[in-house]
Every structure is written in structure tokens, then in C-alpha cells.
Amino acid sequence: MILKKTAIAALGGVFLLGACTDPGQINDPNNPNRKQQQGVLLGAGVGAALGQIAGGDTKATVAGAMLGAAAGGLIGHNLDKQEAELRQTLGDDRIKIVNTGDRLIVTMPQDILFPTDSSTVSSALYPDLQAVSRSLQNYPDTTVQVIGHTDNTGEAAYNQSLSERRAGAVASILINSGTSAGRVVTIGRGENQPIASNLTVEGRAQNRRVEIVIIPRG
């Protein structure tokens, strides 16, 4: 009975906030505020549950839902805004931006970043990386992961080292362009996280990439 009341109260907090939001808009990929709206509902759900646990009554649940919605909505709003600004600023349409609702993932294919078997960043990509750095400075309440990936051609140990060096090269440009070094973490994944089949030329090209992952601080 207690668990049932808790679930009902938590859901009530979510529905209270969700009633003002059009479900169609939340899932519309053309809605520039979709992640903000999703963040409100997600934050409301988490906040409602925490409020119920902490306070044990409906008032605490609603208060938790309100606080969670505010926090989730702010994070979602900032991600929506930063995503839109990056899309306007970046000059190469081969650079992909994915907004998951809790982070932005900026993916740069290796073929436009580096010469073959090299960790020296192409000078043509400097303006785009500098634009990303300016964006990071405009949204300082985030951490940044720079993750290097390769295909599975060659020795795994060499690919791991190459992915680390490439991540470090991209991170260095971001930092030298003004992003605080304390916010940036470099990671090499080598060939361990493919996003396409390594059995085709096209798939291997997709797997060779550097991702800049922008994560709001909770």
C-alpha cells in the first residue's frame, strides 16, 4: 500500500507539470525546445520520487517535482540553445551534433580531422574547433570529454595509442583556444566502440572519429 501511494504521488507530480506540455511537441524533431520540455518532465519525475522518499507525503512529492522540473528544464534549455548556436556556427556539414537531452555529442569524422595515420589536426578544421571552444566558454557549467575512436584496421594496441593521441590533439586546440583545461578529459577508445560495421569501407570511415561530449554539471 505504501509503495502504491508513493508511485501515485510521484506520477501525480509528473502529470501536474506535464499537463501544460503538448506531447506532440516534446517528440517533434523540429521543435527547438524539445529537450528543455523533456528535461522538465524527467526532472519532475526524479524530483517527485526523491521528494516522496525524503518527506513521505504529497506536499514533499510536489515540491520535489517542482524543483526537479526547474533543474531539468534549465539543463534542457541550455542544451537546446547551445545545439542551435553550434549548428549555425560550424562550417562543415560533415560534423554531426546529437542532443540526447542530458548532453551534446559533437562528432568529427577522422577523415576531415587528420591525415591518414596521423594525429596532426588539419588546419582546415581549426576554425570549427575554435568555434566549439567559444561555445564551451559561453556555457561554462559543463564538463567536456574528448574521445578518440578508430576502425579495426591494424594492431589493436596501435589503434588505442592513435585514438589517445588524436583525442589529445583535439583537446589541446580547445584548451589553447580558451577552454579551461580543468573541464576537459581526453579518452582513447581505440577500436572498441564502433558505430558501424568494420567490414565495409563506409563503416570503417564512420568508426574513425573524434567525439566532443558536452555534459552539464548536475
Side-chain angles (χ1 to χ4, degrees), residues 15-214:
F15 292 145
L16 177 65
L17 286 144
C20 300
T21 305
D22 181 353
Q25 288 184 345
I26 291 177
N27 297 314
D28 183 358
N30 296 315
N31 174 13
N33 300 313
R34 66 190 184 282
K35 296 303 180 183
Q36 177 185 5
Q37 293 167 355
Q38 291 170 0
V40 168
L41 293 180
L42 178 60
V46 173
L50 292 176
Q52 179 65 25
I53 292 170
D57 57 24
T58 302
K59 184 181 293 186
T61 300
V62 173
M66 292 295 186
L67 290 173
L74 179 60
I75 288 173
H77 169 74
N78 286 340
L79 288 175
D80 286 336
K81 186 177 178 184
Q82 189 174 15
E83 176 192 6
E85 291 172 359
L86 281 170
R87 290 189 186 280
Q88 291 181 342
T89 304
L90 297 179
D92 195 314
D93 59 10
R94 291 170 293 182
I95 299 173
K96 297 180 180 179
I97 304 172
V98 174
N99 184 345
T100 67
D102 65 347
R103 65 193 61 199
L104 292 180
I105 303 173
V106 181
T107 301
M108 297 186 169
Q110 173 255 300
D111 293 349
I112 65 173
L113 268 176
F114 304 102
T116 301
D117 199 28
S118 171
S119 59
T120 300
V121 177
S122 168
S123 59
L125 262 290
Y126 269 65
D128 287 313
L129 289 172
Q130 290 165 345
V132 172
S133 181
R134 288 192 296 272
S135 176
L136 295 175
Q137 293 168 63
N138 290 335
Y139 295 87
D141 198 23
T142 58
T143 58
V144 184
Q145 296 177 350
V146 183
I147 308 174
H149 300 268
T150 70
D151 60 25
N152 68 347
T153 303
E155 296 292 329
Y158 180 82
N159 289 335
Q160 177 63 35
S161 174
L162 181 61
S163 71
E164 292 170 1
R165 286 185 278 121
R166 286 176 167 173
V170 170
S172 292
I173 295 174
L174 297 178
I175 292 168
N176 291 334
S177 300
T179 301
S180 171
R183 296 171 57 194
V184 181
V185 177
T186 60
I187 302 169
R189 299 295 189 198
E191 60 190 57
N192 295 319
Q193 291 186 345
I195 56 174
S197 171
N198 277 309
L199 298 177
T200 66
V201 172
E202 295 78 12
R204 290 192 294 273
Q206 291 181 59
N207 292 333
R208 299 188 299 266
R209 67 200 190 277
V210 172
E211 296 170 336
I212 301 171
V213 184
I214 304 166

